[in-house]
Amino acid sequence: MATKLASKSEHLYKRARELIPGGVNSPVRYYSPYPLFVASAKGSRFRTVDGEEFLDYCMAYGALLDGHAPEEIVEAVQMALARGSLYGQPTEMEVELASLISSLVPSMEMVRLVNSGTEATMHSLRLARAFTGRQKILKFEGGYHGAHDSVLVRAGSGASSLGIPNSEGITKNVAEDTLVAKFNDEGMSRRIIEDHTHELAAVIVEPVMGNMGPVLPRPGFLETLRKITQENGVILIFDEVITGFRVALGGAQEYFGIRPDMTVLGKILGGGLPIGAFGGRREIMEKLAPLGGVYQAGTYSGNPVSVAASLATLQSLKRRARQ
Ligand SMILES: Cc1ncc(COP(=O)(O)O)c(C=O)c1O
């Protein structure tokens, strides 16, 4: 009896799992019995190393708004690459990109570029802590804000708002500084914010919950969050890594008409290249080094290749939104 020949994906997976934990560089990419290994992609489709073609409904978890390898992005990246991929010095394109982001998302009066959504939420939370002089943050059950300690926290048992670690290796102390409320529960959010008013630095929220749904905010929920945070001197951070440039050109904040103090962007912003951004009120952003005492840095931050892809993406979205 003929035995079925193993696919190249299966072979690669066997090799990969000897060298890379779980055979993948991000856990969501693993599925049973083994992930498909991709050779190339264009538009709505990708081709595996075994030559099979698939319609791609995942689009790199929402990063590829225009599909795989759109011409405009490929050209922009090729041109940037030919001029040098990293200078360790500022470029004109970074100023253009900051200006474009600010014009599309006006609450982002100043912008810092980073390399991922995770970096962007991490630095925005540190900044909020420094600005308010407070330590705790509030997130919502089911919301995902990246893979750093403060946000890898889920709700504790019962009515407790105290967070518990969602991953091994996160200290109890860090987790305890993250409070967790139920999305769309105005009463619970109000109670936690008012009970912790002197120790709560920030509320971070996906304005439309993309990571457990999508779940839309109930009418009035985001407005209530805005009002209570303002009344209690708490920084409201919209994590628009998924909603940014998708729900509306100016993100969920444009769609719902709410101005957060800070905003986090990623995914679509890079048009398929790694980039993230955080920004907000000028007085908050000016606390960042070298102006202020909040340290934030990155060798690849604002690198010309990612910035070129991002500029091409946003310019294209802006052009099409006008049509
Ligand atoms: C809402 C949200 N914030 C932050 C992140 C983290 O972004 P990254 O994977 O680029 O670090 C994600 C990633 O899925 C996300 O969905």
Side-chain angles (χ1 to χ4, degrees), residues 26 61 115-119 121 143-147 206 210-211 239-243 264 266-267 275:
S26 193
Y61 294 89
N115 302 294
S116 68
T118 294
E119 271 186 63
T121 62
Y144 178 69
H145 305 290
E206 291 181 67
N211 280 289
D239 179 344
E240 297 237 35
V241 166
I242 291 181
T243 53
V264 176
K267 295 205 180 199
I275 198 168

PDB file of all heavy atoms in Angstrom, residues 26 61 115-119 121 143-147 206 210-211 239-243 264 266-267 275, ligand 1:
ATOM      1  N   SER A  26       5.496  33.317  16.442  1.00  0.00           N
ATOM      2  CA  SER A  26       4.421  33.953  17.214  1.00  0.00           C
ATOM      3  C   SER A  26       3.366  32.869  17.412  1.00  0.00           C
ATOM      4  O   SER A  26       3.009  32.175  16.445  1.00  0.00           O
ATOM      5  CB  SER A  26       3.849  35.139  16.424  1.00  0.00           C
ATOM      6  OG  SER A  26       3.041  35.940  17.252  1.00  0.00           O
ATOM      7  N   TYR A  61      -3.514  38.954  10.372  1.00  0.00           N
ATOM      8  CA  TYR A  61      -4.256  39.427  11.542  1.00  0.00           C
ATOM      9  C   TYR A  61      -4.647  40.895  11.422  1.00  0.00           C
ATOM     10  O   TYR A  61      -4.577  41.655  12.381  1.00  0.00           O
ATOM     11  CB  TYR A  61      -3.471  39.110  12.826  1.00  0.00           C
ATOM     12  CG  TYR A  61      -3.390  37.620  13.005  1.00  0.00           C
ATOM     13  CD1 TYR A  61      -2.341  36.905  12.439  1.00  0.00           C
ATOM     14  CD2 TYR A  61      -4.404  36.930  13.652  1.00  0.00           C
ATOM     15  CE1 TYR A  61      -2.300  35.513  12.528  1.00  0.00           C
ATOM     16  CE2 TYR A  61      -4.367  35.540  13.741  1.00  0.00           C
ATOM     17  CZ  TYR A  61      -3.325  34.852  13.175  1.00  0.00           C
ATOM     18  OH  TYR A  61      -3.307  33.488  13.257  1.00  0.00           O
ATOM     19  N   ASN A 115       8.249  50.082  16.687  1.00  0.00           N
ATOM     20  CA  ASN A 115       8.306  48.978  15.714  1.00  0.00           C
ATOM     21  C   ASN A 115       7.126  48.012  15.759  1.00  0.00           C
ATOM     22  O   ASN A 115       7.029  47.129  14.910  1.00  0.00           O
ATOM     23  CB  ASN A 115       9.603  48.189  15.911  1.00  0.00           C
ATOM     24  CG  ASN A 115      10.799  49.088  15.751  1.00  0.00           C
ATOM     25  OD1 ASN A 115      11.056  49.599  14.661  1.00  0.00           O
ATOM     26  ND2 ASN A 115      11.515  49.337  16.839  1.00  0.00           N
ATOM     27  N   SER A 116       6.269  48.148  16.750  1.00  0.00           N
ATOM     28  CA  SER A 116       5.138  47.214  16.874  1.00  0.00           C
ATOM     29  C   SER A 116       4.067  47.826  17.758  1.00  0.00           C
ATOM     30  O   SER A 116       4.311  48.810  18.480  1.00  0.00           O
ATOM     31  CB  SER A 116       5.616  45.895  17.505  1.00  0.00           C
ATOM     32  OG  SER A 116       5.981  46.141  18.852  1.00  0.00           O
ATOM     33  N   GLY A 117       2.897  47.186  17.725  1.00  0.00           N
ATOM     34  CA  GLY A 117       1.817  47.606  18.604  1.00  0.00           C
ATOM     35  C   GLY A 117       2.176  47.388  20.069  1.00  0.00           C
ATOM     36  O   GLY A 117       1.832  48.190  20.928  1.00  0.00           O
ATOM     37  N   THR A 118       2.879  46.299  20.339  1.00  0.00           N
ATOM     38  CA  THR A 118       3.290  46.003  21.717  1.00  0.00           C
ATOM     39  C   THR A 118       4.149  47.127  22.289  1.00  0.00           C
ATOM     40  O   THR A 118       3.911  47.620  23.394  1.00  0.00           O
ATOM     41  CB  THR A 118       4.088  44.676  21.746  1.00  0.00           C
ATOM     42  OG1 THR A 118       3.223  43.613  21.381  1.00  0.00           O
ATOM     43  CG2 THR A 118       4.676  44.401  23.115  1.00  0.00           C
ATOM     44  N   GLU A 119       5.142  47.519  21.515  1.00  0.00           N
ATOM     45  CA  GLU A 119       6.004  48.627  21.979  1.00  0.00           C
ATOM     46  C   GLU A 119       5.179  49.884  22.228  1.00  0.00           C
ATOM     47  O   GLU A 119       5.411  50.618  23.184  1.00  0.00           O
ATOM     48  CB  GLU A 119       7.041  48.967  20.899  1.00  0.00           C
ATOM     49  CG  GLU A 119       8.324  48.198  20.986  1.00  0.00           C
ATOM     50  CD  GLU A 119       9.312  48.724  19.953  1.00  0.00           C
ATOM     51  OE1 GLU A 119       9.713  49.893  20.038  1.00  0.00           O
ATOM     52  OE2 GLU A 119       9.663  47.959  19.036  1.00  0.00           O
ATOM     53  N   THR A 121       1.951  50.280  23.007  1.00  0.00           N
ATOM     54  CA  THR A 121       1.127  50.298  24.230  1.00  0.00           C
ATOM     55  C   THR A 121       2.019  50.365  25.471  1.00  0.00           C
ATOM     56  O   THR A 121       1.718  51.062  26.428  1.00  0.00           O
ATOM     57  CB  THR A 121       0.198  49.063  24.336  1.00  0.00           C
ATOM     58  OG1 THR A 121       0.978  47.883  24.391  1.00  0.00           O
ATOM     59  CG2 THR A 121      -0.778  48.995  23.179  1.00  0.00           C
ATOM     60  N   GLY A 143      -9.650  42.232  26.071  1.00  0.00           N
ATOM     61  CA  GLY A 143      -8.876  43.160  25.233  1.00  0.00           C
ATOM     62  C   GLY A 143      -7.433  42.685  25.161  1.00  0.00           C
ATOM     63  O   GLY A 143      -6.913  42.122  26.131  1.00  0.00           O
ATOM     64  N   TYR A 144      -6.803  42.886  24.019  1.00  0.00           N
ATOM     65  CA  TYR A 144      -5.389  42.500  23.882  1.00  0.00           C
ATOM     66  C   TYR A 144      -4.604  43.744  23.494  1.00  0.00           C
ATOM     67  O   TYR A 144      -5.003  44.484  22.588  1.00  0.00           O
ATOM     68  CB  TYR A 144      -5.247  41.420  22.799  1.00  0.00           C
ATOM     69  CG  TYR A 144      -3.811  40.990  22.567  1.00  0.00           C
ATOM     70  CD1 TYR A 144      -3.115  40.261  23.532  1.00  0.00           C
ATOM     71  CD2 TYR A 144      -3.150  41.330  21.377  1.00  0.00           C
ATOM     72  CE1 TYR A 144      -1.797  39.871  23.319  1.00  0.00           C
ATOM     73  CE2 TYR A 144      -1.832  40.936  21.161  1.00  0.00           C
ATOM     74  CZ  TYR A 144      -1.166  40.207  22.132  1.00  0.00           C
ATOM     75  OH  TYR A 144       0.137  39.820  21.921  1.00  0.00           O
ATOM     76  N   HIS A 145      -3.507  43.970  24.203  1.00  0.00           N
ATOM     77  CA  HIS A 145      -2.713  45.174  23.934  1.00  0.00           C
ATOM     78  C   HIS A 145      -1.251  44.828  23.718  1.00  0.00           C
ATOM     79  O   HIS A 145      -0.371  45.647  23.957  1.00  0.00           O
ATOM     80  CB  HIS A 145      -2.871  46.170  25.087  1.00  0.00           C
ATOM     81  CG  HIS A 145      -4.301  46.516  25.361  1.00  0.00           C
ATOM     82  ND1 HIS A 145      -5.070  47.267  24.495  1.00  0.00           N
ATOM     83  CD2 HIS A 145      -5.127  46.173  26.384  1.00  0.00           C
ATOM     84  CE1 HIS A 145      -6.297  47.384  24.977  1.00  0.00           C
ATOM     85  NE2 HIS A 145      -6.352  46.727  26.118  1.00  0.00           N
ATOM     86  N   GLY A 146      -0.978  43.585  23.306  1.00  0.00           N
ATOM     87  CA  GLY A 146       0.400  43.199  23.046  1.00  0.00           C
ATOM     88  C   GLY A 146       0.924  42.260  24.100  1.00  0.00           C
ATOM     89  O   GLY A 146       0.187  41.821  25.000  1.00  0.00           O
ATOM     90  N   ALA A 147       2.238  41.957  23.995  1.00  0.00           N
ATOM     91  CA  ALA A 147       2.806  40.865  24.783  1.00  0.00           C
ATOM     92  C   ALA A 147       3.768  41.354  25.861  1.00  0.00           C
ATOM     93  O   ALA A 147       4.795  40.742  26.104  1.00  0.00           O
ATOM     94  CB  ALA A 147       3.503  39.880  23.842  1.00  0.00           C
ATOM     95  N   GLU A 206      -9.614  48.949  23.606  1.00  0.00           N
ATOM     96  CA  GLU A 206      -9.871  48.847  22.170  1.00  0.00           C
ATOM     97  C   GLU A 206     -11.276  49.410  21.976  1.00  0.00           C
ATOM     98  O   GLU A 206     -12.236  48.801  22.475  1.00  0.00           O
ATOM     99  CB  GLU A 206      -9.877  47.383  21.724  1.00  0.00           C
ATOM    100  CG  GLU A 206      -8.564  46.671  21.748  1.00  0.00           C
ATOM    101  CD  GLU A 206      -8.742  45.224  21.253  1.00  0.00           C
ATOM    102  OE1 GLU A 206      -9.040  45.024  20.066  1.00  0.00           O
ATOM    103  OE2 GLU A 206      -8.591  44.307  22.064  1.00  0.00           O
ATOM    104  N   GLY A 210     -11.677  44.151  19.136  1.00  0.00           N
ATOM    105  CA  GLY A 210     -11.356  43.300  18.001  1.00  0.00           C
ATOM    106  C   GLY A 210     -10.882  41.925  18.424  1.00  0.00           C
ATOM    107  O   GLY A 210     -11.028  40.954  17.695  1.00  0.00           O
ATOM    108  N   ASN A 211     -10.313  41.855  19.621  1.00  0.00           N
ATOM    109  CA  ASN A 211      -9.677  40.604  20.030  1.00  0.00           C
ATOM    110  C   ASN A 211     -10.613  39.638  20.739  1.00  0.00           C
ATOM    111  O   ASN A 211     -10.200  38.560  21.146  1.00  0.00           O
ATOM    112  CB  ASN A 211      -8.448  40.908  20.892  1.00  0.00           C
ATOM    113  CG  ASN A 211      -7.273  41.290  20.005  1.00  0.00           C
ATOM    114  OD1 ASN A 211      -6.712  40.448  19.317  1.00  0.00           O
ATOM    115  ND2 ASN A 211      -6.931  42.575  19.975  1.00  0.00           N
ATOM    116  N   ASP A 239      -6.534  52.096  22.129  1.00  0.00           N
ATOM    117  CA  ASP A 239      -5.660  51.197  21.377  1.00  0.00           C
ATOM    118  C   ASP A 239      -6.338  50.956  20.027  1.00  0.00           C
ATOM    119  O   ASP A 239      -7.267  50.159  19.915  1.00  0.00           O
ATOM    120  CB  ASP A 239      -5.473  49.887  22.150  1.00  0.00           C
ATOM    121  CG  ASP A 239      -4.576  48.900  21.396  1.00  0.00           C
ATOM    122  OD1 ASP A 239      -4.364  49.097  20.174  1.00  0.00           O
ATOM    123  OD2 ASP A 239      -4.097  47.935  22.017  1.00  0.00           O
ATOM    124  N   GLU A 240      -5.850  51.690  19.028  1.00  0.00           N
ATOM    125  CA  GLU A 240      -6.461  51.613  17.683  1.00  0.00           C
ATOM    126  C   GLU A 240      -5.576  50.787  16.734  1.00  0.00           C
ATOM    127  O   GLU A 240      -5.527  51.049  15.546  1.00  0.00           O
ATOM    128  CB  GLU A 240      -6.685  53.029  17.134  1.00  0.00           C
ATOM    129  CG  GLU A 240      -7.653  53.854  17.969  1.00  0.00           C
ATOM    130  CD  GLU A 240      -8.844  54.389  17.182  1.00  0.00           C
ATOM    131  OE1 GLU A 240      -9.316  53.687  16.262  1.00  0.00           O
ATOM    132  OE2 GLU A 240      -9.269  55.506  17.499  1.00  0.00           O
ATOM    133  N   VAL A 241      -4.880  49.805  17.304  1.00  0.00           N
ATOM    134  CA  VAL A 241      -4.032  48.939  16.470  1.00  0.00           C
ATOM    135  C   VAL A 241      -4.879  48.203  15.427  1.00  0.00           C
ATOM    136  O   VAL A 241      -4.448  48.023  14.290  1.00  0.00           O
ATOM    137  CB  VAL A 241      -3.224  47.957  17.356  1.00  0.00           C
ATOM    138  CG1 VAL A 241      -2.615  46.829  16.535  1.00  0.00           C
ATOM    139  CG2 VAL A 241      -2.122  48.715  18.100  1.00  0.00           C
ATOM    140  N   ILE A 242      -6.086  47.814  15.796  1.00  0.00           N
ATOM    141  CA  ILE A 242      -6.973  47.163  14.821  1.00  0.00           C
ATOM    142  C   ILE A 242      -7.930  48.168  14.172  1.00  0.00           C
ATOM    143  O   ILE A 242      -8.153  48.134  12.965  1.00  0.00           O
ATOM    144  CB  ILE A 242      -7.778  46.023  15.492  1.00  0.00           C
ATOM    145  CG1 ILE A 242      -6.833  44.870  15.860  1.00  0.00           C
ATOM    146  CG2 ILE A 242      -8.885  45.515  14.564  1.00  0.00           C
ATOM    147  CD1 ILE A 242      -7.510  43.679  16.504  1.00  0.00           C
ATOM    148  N   THR A 243      -8.486  49.077  14.976  1.00  0.00           N
ATOM    149  CA  THR A 243      -9.524  49.979  14.450  1.00  0.00           C
ATOM    150  C   THR A 243      -8.959  51.138  13.637  1.00  0.00           C
ATOM    151  O   THR A 243      -9.650  51.686  12.774  1.00  0.00           O
ATOM    152  CB  THR A 243     -10.358  50.563  15.619  1.00  0.00           C
ATOM    153  OG1 THR A 243      -9.454  51.143  16.573  1.00  0.00           O
ATOM    154  CG2 THR A 243     -11.179  49.484  16.295  1.00  0.00           C
ATOM    155  N   VAL A 264      -2.861  54.610  20.248  1.00  0.00           N
ATOM    156  CA  VAL A 264      -1.833  53.659  19.829  1.00  0.00           C
ATOM    157  C   VAL A 264      -2.211  53.103  18.453  1.00  0.00           C
ATOM    158  O   VAL A 264      -3.361  52.715  18.239  1.00  0.00           O
ATOM    159  CB  VAL A 264      -1.742  52.502  20.846  1.00  0.00           C
ATOM    160  CG1 VAL A 264      -0.750  51.465  20.369  1.00  0.00           C
ATOM    161  CG2 VAL A 264      -1.350  53.024  22.215  1.00  0.00           C
ATOM    162  N   GLY A 266      -0.825  50.578  14.946  1.00  0.00           N
ATOM    163  CA  GLY A 266       0.089  49.518  14.495  1.00  0.00           C
ATOM    164  C   GLY A 266      -0.511  48.877  13.260  1.00  0.00           C
ATOM    165  O   GLY A 266      -1.250  49.521  12.521  1.00  0.00           O
ATOM    166  N   LYS A 267      -0.242  47.607  13.068  1.00  0.00           N
ATOM    167  CA  LYS A 267      -0.839  46.821  11.967  1.00  0.00           C
ATOM    168  C   LYS A 267      -0.947  47.605  10.666  1.00  0.00           C
ATOM    169  O   LYS A 267       0.035  47.760   9.951  1.00  0.00           O
ATOM    170  CB  LYS A 267      -2.194  46.264  12.416  1.00  0.00           C
ATOM    171  CG  LYS A 267      -2.007  45.262  13.564  1.00  0.00           C
ATOM    172  CD  LYS A 267      -3.108  44.247  13.683  1.00  0.00           C
ATOM    173  CE  LYS A 267      -2.765  43.340  14.846  1.00  0.00           C
ATOM    174  NZ  LYS A 267      -3.384  42.097  14.933  1.00  0.00           N
ATOM    175  N   ILE A 275       5.849  48.494  12.000  1.00  0.00           N
ATOM    176  CA  ILE A 275       5.871  49.854  12.559  1.00  0.00           C
ATOM    177  C   ILE A 275       4.710  49.973  13.543  1.00  0.00           C
ATOM    178  O   ILE A 275       3.695  49.280  13.406  1.00  0.00           O
ATOM    179  CB  ILE A 275       5.763  50.928  11.441  1.00  0.00           C
ATOM    180  CG1 ILE A 275       6.225  52.301  11.928  1.00  0.00           C
ATOM    181  CG2 ILE A 275       4.351  51.015  10.890  1.00  0.00           C
ATOM    182  CD1 ILE A 275       6.428  53.321  10.825  1.00  0.00           C
TER     183      ILE A 275
HETATM  184  C1  LIG B   1      -5.534  45.850  19.732  1.00  0.00           C
HETATM  185  C2  LIG B   1      -4.101  45.390  19.678  1.00  0.00           C
HETATM  186  N1  LIG B   1      -3.161  46.101  20.338  1.00  0.00           N
HETATM  187  C3  LIG B   1      -1.871  45.752  20.311  1.00  0.00           C
HETATM  188  C4  LIG B   1      -1.438  44.636  19.615  1.00  0.00           C
HETATM  189  C5  LIG B   1       0.010  44.268  19.596  1.00  0.00           C
HETATM  190  O1  LIG B   1       0.550  44.551  18.355  1.00  0.00           O
HETATM  191  P1  LIG B   1       1.869  43.781  17.836  1.00  0.00           P
HETATM  192  O2  LIG B   1       1.460  42.373  17.563  1.00  0.00           O
HETATM  193  O3  LIG B   1       2.260  44.563  16.603  1.00  0.00           O
HETATM  194  O4  LIG B   1       2.897  43.900  18.900  1.00  0.00           O
HETATM  195  C6  LIG B   1      -2.382  43.861  18.915  1.00  0.00           C
HETATM  196  C7  LIG B   1      -1.957  42.662  18.163  1.00  0.00           C
HETATM  197  O5  LIG B   1      -2.722  41.841  17.752  1.00  0.00           O
HETATM  198  C8  LIG B   1      -3.739  44.242  18.941  1.00  0.00           C
HETATM  199  O6  LIG B   1      -4.685  43.530  18.318  1.00  0.00           O
END
